[in-house]
Amino acid sequence: MNRFLIGSLSTLLLLFSFSAQAINIELGAQYGHKTQSYDANNYNEMESMTGSLSFYLWERIALELSYTEAQSVVVSKAFTADPKRTTIQKSQILGSDLILILADKKALFQPYIKGGLAQIYRKQTIKIENQDTYENEPETAVAPSYGVGLKVALTQSMSLKFSYDVWQTPIGGDSKTNDSAIRAGLTWML
């Protein structure tokens, strides 16, 4: 995790060394929540919170460093007589993305695209009703990330931020999962 953070900060310093203009910084906080249910014994619930720090290198290009805490709970029971199975997955995601804003900074609507890398740490706990609880070995992986979003300016320094982000996480061998998140939150320009 330390190498990932050092690499992101080194990239930031290298990019700033080519620019003689003032640095604009944006702080952000986003929340995501999703539920799906089939019945009382079969449902999914996902929740995430993200904090971000963006450094505007030029008018429409920023380097965003982000940290996400996420939890997913999947409850399943095939038949009435079966024991209920609960799977809890906790994830921590460190992201480093370049953002290209597709509109002027003073525009009301500011769509953007982004791409970069994410370091993902995740751990699963599985509980089977009236039986044992066990944990899988924690996994750590570096994966490509990309996304799209929209900022809606409320004031000159505060905006609403909506985003859709995807990480392609390796899960062993040549297999990958596409993990995604839909988020909403606020950003502040310093």
Side-chain angles (χ1 to χ4, degrees):
M1 192 176 303
N2 290 335
R3 273 193 286 179
F4 183 78
L5 188 57
I6 289 170
S8 296
L9 292 175
S10 298
T11 301
L12 177 67
L13 291 173
L14 180 66
L15 291 170
F16 278 142
S17 67
F18 294 118
S19 175
Q21 53 188 341
I23 299 170
N24 291 318
I25 298 174
E26 182 178 52
L27 292 174
Q30 292 181 285
Y31 177 77
H33 188 265
K34 178 182 176 184
T35 58
Q36 292 177 302
S37 60
Y38 180 73
D39 59 30
N41 292 315
N42 294 282
Y43 60 89
N44 303 339
E45 185 172 0
M46 294 171 262
E47 185 174 47
S48 69
M49 290 185 284
T50 301
S52 64
L53 182 63
S54 299
F55 299 93
Y56 280 81
L57 309 173
W58 294 279
E59 182 73 19
R60 294 186 184 183
I61 297 176
L63 175 66
E64 179 182 71
L65 303 176
S66 62
Y67 176 75
T68 300
E69 284 272 344
Q71 179 172 298
S72 168
V73 178
V74 178
V75 177
S76 60
K77 186 173 182 175
F79 300 101
T80 308
D82 290 347
K84 188 183 291 187
R85 178 185 174 108
T86 303
T87 304
I88 301 168
Q89 179 173 300
K90 294 185 178 184
S91 303
Q92 297 171 331
I93 303 163
L94 279 174
S96 179
D97 295 289
L98 275 177
I99 296 176
L100 174 62
I101 298 173
L102 304 172
D104 187 69
K105 280 171 79 174
K106 295 180 182 177
L108 176 63
F109 296 105
Q110 302 168 25
Y112 65 87
I113 57 173
K114 69 181 191 173
L117 291 174
Q119 180 171 356
I120 302 161
Y121 170 84
R122 62 184 177 183
K123 181 173 107 173
Q124 276 190 352
T125 303
I126 300 165
K127 300 176 184 179
I128 300 175
E129 186 177 41
N130 300 324
Q131 295 179 24
D132 291 334
T133 296
Y134 60 95
E135 291 185 358
N136 291 342
E137 286 292 318
E139 298 176 325
T140 301
V142 174
S145 65
Y146 52 91
V148 296
L150 176 67
K151 288 183 4 180
V152 180
L154 300 175
T155 67
Q156 199 170 21
S157 62
M158 186 171 12
S159 299
L160 290 173
K161 184 177 182 181
F162 305 95
S163 67
Y164 175 72
D165 301 299
V166 177
W167 305 271
Q168 291 185 346
T169 309
I171 56 171
D174 292 334
S175 300
K176 298 178 191 172
T177 62
N178 284 323
D179 301 324
S180 63
I182 296 173
R183 302 182 183 131
L186 293 172
T187 65
W188 299 270
M189 290 295 287
L190 302 179

